[in-house]
Each structure stands twice: as structure tokens, then as C-alpha cells.
């Protein structure tokens, strides 16, 4: 394929970088075992006038998950891990616990496909805040709590991949970083890939920028297995090529083709059109093609790795700014150039508008519900009142009663947002609001998480989940 065919993509990138002020973008495009085109635009480091290219290392955010899952499958193929055994079989003295159902049903596979019952979880630690990342056992104690029955539903949970990272360390006897370097990055010839960013890689790395254009301070999280990998567009596309079985001659097969297929088999439904396997999101009909991939998003990071296995295509698009969808947009433009039918189907596609659900008084919710919100240190009484006029009022502990905003009730799930104080030191590092995510069970019980979602200025916020159970009075 002549690289001039990508001229419209190049023009789109240049235009969108100017419009958005995003510092840089790097991409790599491969097909049939060959890298067709790769380059970078903009500044990897504005202050030092260092330009981005295909070998610049970017923080990948959640594209770390399929990389962690690859390490997991290496141990599965060695007979050291069984995907369908409880993850607790492989953890230490601190185990997952269940507020509902049986923690023994939280298998390794269900943790890997986000159906274990673990709730929403993001927990960032910035180096200028003076709070260190806890040991994984502390995270297990505080947040290793199942809040829906294992296998009931898909719920994206970064904490699960933090626990898988710990499992990899315990089973392999190596640190997570060493295992990935020795068993994934070196065999696949990915010299510009690492866990976190060792000092010797800093001159090759893209600075992460906040929405205001300022460099973000360094940060980490209590779920490195979900978020901690850095790689260049060039190296990441090589990882993608391995996973579409287009192995390059300088790569060693670290997984069998059967293991690659197993990772790309959806075992839980994400939406009507997509599912999740072992580390991968799969779309069965993406404008006429089956696509496999993962995105990443956090402070100073927005990334995409997209593969079309039947066409032997792998694409990586990486940026060093967050809160935008430019990598998704550009990956779509690239596929439109490479696959005429994809472009045709995309052009003909007319999205069905989704109207916001109108909230009215729901008969089965009317009345007063009382119960407890559990933090890792305390229990707070809570009273939820659903009034005939449709208002939802909530009282937490001895605080003032507050109105629940944007309530919705669909598929027996009650959601809504409100302001109150959990008096929890983790949640209270930044201003936050609370979000209900409660399931109606047996007609008289609402249970599930209340999420504390922080909103720090120009930084990624935390999303911490606290078990809540209410009974109808």
C-alpha cells in the first residue's frame, strides 16, 4: 500500500492538533506482518522542544490491561494458573470478600473480563500530594469487596487488574515489571516498553499534560496492572501484530495461537454490540468487520490499540493529553482508508438518537428505605425516601437531607447523584460527589455501591466504591 493513501489521515491529525491544542500524537499502522506507516506530530516535551515520533514512549493507561492479560496467559499455558479457579486460590493471606453471593465464584477469568463483582475503582496518587501508594494487601482490605454476584454483570474495574498483577507476581516469583520485561517485551522485541517509567527511559518519554496545557506531576495508582505500562507506537503495534498472529521474524511466540484465540473470545457482554474477553474488548460488527482492541484514558493520556484480525491489521494511536477522543477518531479514519467497505458502511450508518429517560415516581421504589453505607473504617446510616412527586431525598448519618439529582431506574438499577460527606480519608483527598448504583432485589432490598467520584482541577479523579444496603421500611 502506498503511504500517500494516508495523506487524508495526516491532514486530519494536523488540523485536529491545531484545533485542540493537544501536545502530540504518534501512530503506527501495520498489515500482513509489515509496518506500513508510522510517525509522530507535535511535542513530546514542549519545554525542551523535543518532537514526538513513532519511538516516543507514551503512558498507555488501560491498554496496560491486555498486556497484563498476556502475562497472565503465559502462566496459564505453563499450567500455573487456571482461569476458572477462584482468584482467591492464588492470593496471599488477604482475600477478596463478598458483600453479596460467594467470593469463591470470582474466578480469574471473571476478574479478567470485569464480571467478578468488583465495582468501579480508580485511585491516583500524585507525587506532590504527599500520600504514597499502599501495598496491594491494603487495597485488597479496603476495596477488594464484591458488590454484585460474580458473573451477573460487566463492571469495568481497575482494581481487578491490580489484583491480577499481584497474582502474576505471586505465581511467577518475579516482580510485575520484571515479568513483563523478560516474558513479554524482550521476546516481542519491544525495547521502548516498560512498567512505569525508569529513569533511563525518561529522555524517550512523552510528558503528560493537563487540560490547561501544564505538565502533570508524576503519579501512580493502586492498580498498576490496569494502568502502568508505557510504550512507543512502534512497539505497541508490534504487540498488536503478535495478537493477530502476524508475528515478525524477530519475535518469539510467547503464546500459542489457541491462547490468543481464547483471549479474543468474548465471555461477557459489554453492550448490544460488544463483549470482553481476557484483556480485550471485541466488537463483532464494527461497520462490517470484527475488531479487537483496547483504549486508555487518564490524566495526560488518551490512547488506542485497534486490530482487525481477519484483515491482519493493527493500528496504534497515542497522545499525551486526556479528556478527548482523538485517537478513536484517527483510528477510525485509518480503517476507512484501508478498508473501502468499512468506509462505505460508516458513511451509510445513521446513529439512532438516544433520548434521556424521563424520571417519574417509580411505584416499586415509593416510600422510605433505611440501611448502612460501609466504608473501610466506619458505617454510616442512610435513609432514602422516594416521594410520589418523583423527588428522591437522601440523608447520610447526621447530615442534612439532600436531593438526589438525575435519578434513573432501568433494569432494576437505581442511579443518581448527590452531595454528602462519607468522612473517608481516601475519598476526601479532593472535592467529590456521590453516585448511587443500587440494584433492586426481591422487591424489598436495594444494594450495591455508592461511588465517591472526585473532581480535582486539571487532574484525573478517583472513583472509590462503598457497599450500601437498604431495606424498605
Amino acid at each position: 500500500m502506498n503511504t500517500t493513501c494516508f495523506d487524508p489521515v495526516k491532514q486530519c491529525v494536523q488540523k485536529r492538533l491545531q484545533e485542540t491544542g493537544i501536545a502530540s500524537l504518534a501512530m503506527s499502522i501495520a498489515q500482513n506482518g509489515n509496518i506500513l506507516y508510522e510517525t509522530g506530530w507535535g511535542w513530546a516535551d514542549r519545554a525542551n522542544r523535543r518532537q514526538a515520533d513513532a519511538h516516543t514512549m507514551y503512558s498507555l493507561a488501560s491498554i496496560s490491561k491486555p498486556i497484563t492479560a498476556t502475562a497472565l496467559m503465559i502462566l496459564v499455558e505453563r499450567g500455573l494458573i487456571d482461569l476458572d479457579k477462584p482468584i482467591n486460590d492464588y492470593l496471599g493471606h488477604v482475600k477478596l470478600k463478598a458483600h453479596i453471593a460467594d467470593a469463591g465464584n470470582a474466578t480469574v477469568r471473571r476478574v479478567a473480563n470485569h464480571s467478578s463483582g468488583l465495582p468501579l475503582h480508580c485511585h491516583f496518587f500524585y507525587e506532590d500530594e504527599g500520600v504514597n501508594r499502599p501495598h496491594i494487601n491494603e487495597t485488597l482490605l479496603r476495596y477488594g469487596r464484591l458488590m454484585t454476584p460474580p458473573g451477573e454483570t460487566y463492571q469495568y474495574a481497575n482494581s481487578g487488574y491490580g489484583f491480577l498483577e499481584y497474582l502474576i507476581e505471586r505465581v511467577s516469583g518475579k516482580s510485575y515489571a520484571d515479568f513483563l520485561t523478560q516474558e513479554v517485551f524482550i521476546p516481542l522485541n519491544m525495547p521502548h516498553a516498560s512498567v512505569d517509567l525508569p529513569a533511563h527511559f525518561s529522555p524517550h518519554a512523552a510528558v503528560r499534560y493537563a487540560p490547561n496545557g501544564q505538565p502533570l506531576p508524576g503519579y501512580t495508582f493502586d492498580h498498576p496492572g490496569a494502568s502502568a505500562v508505557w510504550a512507543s507506537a512502534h512497539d505497541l503495534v508490534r504487540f498488536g501484530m503478535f495478537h493477530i498472529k502476524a508475528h515478525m521474524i524477530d519475535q518469539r511466540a510467547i503464546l500459542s495461537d489457541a491462547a490468543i484465540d481464547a483471549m479474543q473470545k468474548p465471555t461477557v457482554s459489554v453492550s448490544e454490540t460488544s463483549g470482553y474477553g481476557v484483556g480485550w474488548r471485541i466488537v463483532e460488527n464494527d461497520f462490517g468487520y470484527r475488531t479487537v482492541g483496547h483504549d486508555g484514558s487518564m490524566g495526560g493520556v488518551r490512547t488506542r490499540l485497534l486490530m482487525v484480525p481477519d484483515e491482519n491489521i493493527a493500528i496504534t494511536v497515542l497522545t499525551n493529553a486526556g479528556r478527548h477522543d482523538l485517537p478513536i477518531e484517527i483510528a477510525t479514519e485509518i480503517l476507512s482508508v484501508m478498508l473501502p467497505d468499512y468506509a462505505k458502511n460508516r458513511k451509510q450508518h445513521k446513529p439512532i438518537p438516544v433520548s434521556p429517560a424521563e424520571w417519574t415516581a417509580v411505584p416499586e421504589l415509593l416510600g422510605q428505605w433505611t440501611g448502612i453505607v460501609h466504608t473501610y473504617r466506619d458505617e454510616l446510616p442512610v435513609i432514602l425516601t422516594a416521594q410520589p412527586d418523583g423527588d428522591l431525598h437522601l440523608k447520610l448519618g447526621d447530615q442534612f437531607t439532600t436531593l438526589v439529582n438525575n435519578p434513573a431506574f432501568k433494569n432494576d438499577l437505581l442511579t443518581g447523584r448527590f452531595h454528602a460527606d462519607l468522612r473517608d480519608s481516601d475519598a476526601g483527598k479532593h472535592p467529590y460527589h456521590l453516585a448511587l448504583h443500587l440494584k433492586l432485589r426481591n422487591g424489598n432490598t436495594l444494594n450495591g455501591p455508592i461511588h465517591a467520584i472526585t473532581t480535582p482541577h486539571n487532574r484525573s479523579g478517583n472513583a472509590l466504591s462503598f457497599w450500601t444496603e437498604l431495606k424498605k421500611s
Side-chain angles (χ1 to χ4, degrees), residues 81-90 104-109:
I81 294 173
D82 185 331
L83 287 176
D84 296 312
K85 281 190 174 180
I87 190 173
N88 278 344
D89 288 2
Y90 302 99
N105 292 325
T107 62
V108 177
R109 187 188 304 278

Side-chain angles (χ1 to χ4, degrees), residues 139-283:
T139 300
L140 273 163
L141 280 169
R142 296 185 186 188
Y143 302 110
R145 306 299 178 98
L146 309 186
M147 298 190 187
T148 55
E152 179 179 84
T153 189
Y154 169 89
Q155 173 57 65
Y156 195 80
N158 284 313
S159 56
Y161 271 79
F163 303 147
L164 290 177
E165 165 213 342
Y166 186 43
L167 177 158
I168 289 166
E169 291 187 334
R170 287 183 52 81
V171 171
S172 71
K174 299 178 181 179
S175 72
Y176 171 69
D178 285 348
F179 191 85
L180 257 60
T181 297
Q182 296 167 18
E183 304 290 348
V184 180
F185 301 148
I186 290 175
L188 297 185
N189 198 5
M190 299 168 62
H192 287 95
S194 69
V195 175
D196 294 319
L197 193 65
H200 65 280
F201 277 133
S202 292
H204 307 285
V207 174
R208 294 185 288 211
Y209 289 100
N212 65 0
Q214 295 300 307
L216 283 164
Y219 63 81
T220 185
F221 12 72
D222 63 4
H223 42 77
S227 314
V229 178
W230 291 66
S232 68
H234 174 85
D235 283 10
L236 187 59
V237 88
R238 292 172 63 87
F239 176 80
M241 290 164 71
F242 177 77
H243 276 279
I244 56 173
K245 306 173 191 173
H247 309 168
M248 302 188 77
I249 59 172
D250 59 357
Q251 292 183 318
R252 177 166 58 84
I254 57 176
L255 292 175
S256 68
D257 286 355
I260 290 172
D261 290 339
M263 292 179 69
Q264 296 177 23
K265 179 181 179 182
T267 50
V268 65
S269 174
V270 176
S271 67
E272 291 182 0
T273 59
S274 68
Y276 206 96
V278 181
W280 292 115
R281 184 164 179 168
I282 302 98
V283 180

Side-chain angles (χ1 to χ4, degrees), residues 317-427:
V317 187
L318 311 177
T319 65
N320 57 340
R323 302 186 188 177
H324 63 88
D325 284 335
L326 186 56
I328 287 80
E329 177 185 341
I330 297 305
T332 300
E333 293 296 330
I334 292 168
L335 281 188
S336 295
V337 167
M338 300 181 74
L339 302 171
D341 285 345
Y342 182 94
K344 177 183 175 183
N345 294 335
R346 178 187 168 203
K347 187 175 182 180
Q348 293 175 344
H349 177 69
K350 290 185 173 23
I352 300 172
V354 178
S355 302
E358 292 187 10
W359 169 257
T360 57
V362 179
E364 52 263 57
L365 295 180
L366 289 178
Q368 189 174 89
W369 302 74
T370 60
I372 299 290
V373 179
H374 299 258
T375 71
Y376 74 92
R377 286 181 175 168
D378 206 355
E379 294 182 348
L380 295 173
V382 60
I383 300 172
L384 178 71
T385 306
Q387 299 184 170
D389 63 4
D391 278 358
L392 279 183
H393 292 169
L394 189 143
K395 181 176 176 60
L396 186 62
D398 58 0
Q399 300 167 52
F400 290 115
T401 299
T402 186
L403 182 70
V404 177
N405 297 308
N406 306 117
F409 186 68
K410 183 178 181 180
N411 298 328
D412 291 332
L413 185 67
L414 175 65
T415 58
R417 298 187 174 201
F418 64 100
H419 288 278
D421 185 4
L422 286 172
R423 295 166 184 166
D424 175 84
S425 58
D426 282 354

Side-chain angles (χ1 to χ4, degrees), residues 52-179:
D53 61 33
H55 298 283
T56 300
M57 293 176 68
Y58 286 79
S59 176
L60 299 183
S62 286
I63 296 178
S64 302
K65 291 180 176 72
I67 296 173
T68 298
T70 299
L72 175 72
M73 290 300 291
I74 290 170
L75 295 172
V76 169
E77 290 220 291
R78 291 177 184 172
L80 299 175
I81 294 173
D82 185 331
L83 287 176
D84 296 312
K85 281 190 174 180
I87 190 173
N88 278 344
D89 288 2
Y90 302 99
L91 299 179
H93 65 282
V94 183
K95 312 282 189 183
L96 290 183
K97 293 184 179 179
H99 286 294
I100 187 170
D102 182 357
N105 292 325
T107 62
V108 177
R109 187 188 304 278
R110 283 175 168 163
V111 174
N113 72 12
H114 300 292
S115 70
S116 66
L118 287 167
L120 180 70
H121 182 88
C122 301
H123 201 182
F124 293 88
F125 300 86
Y126 289 85
E127 62 184 18
D128 62 350
E129 292 178 343
V131 180
N132 294 324
R133 180 178 80 194
H135 188 274
I136 191 66
N137 278 332
E138 186 64 29
T139 300
L140 273 163
L141 280 169
R142 296 185 186 188
Y143 302 110
R145 306 299 178 98
L146 309 186
M147 298 190 187
T148 55
E152 179 179 84
T153 189
Y154 169 89
Q155 173 57 65
Y156 195 80
N158 284 313
S159 56
Y161 271 79
F163 303 147
L164 290 177
E165 165 213 342
Y166 186 43
L167 177 158
I168 289 166
E169 291 187 334
R170 287 183 52 81
V171 171
S172 71
K174 299 178 181 179
S175 72
Y176 171 69
D178 285 348
F179 191 85

Side-chain angles (χ1 to χ4, degrees), residues 25-27 302-304 315-319 326-327 330-331 334:
L25 180 147
M27 69 166 65
R302 193 70 173 99
T303 56
R304 180 155 230 208
I315 297 166
T316 58
V317 187
L318 311 177
T319 65
L326 186 56
I330 297 305
I334 292 168

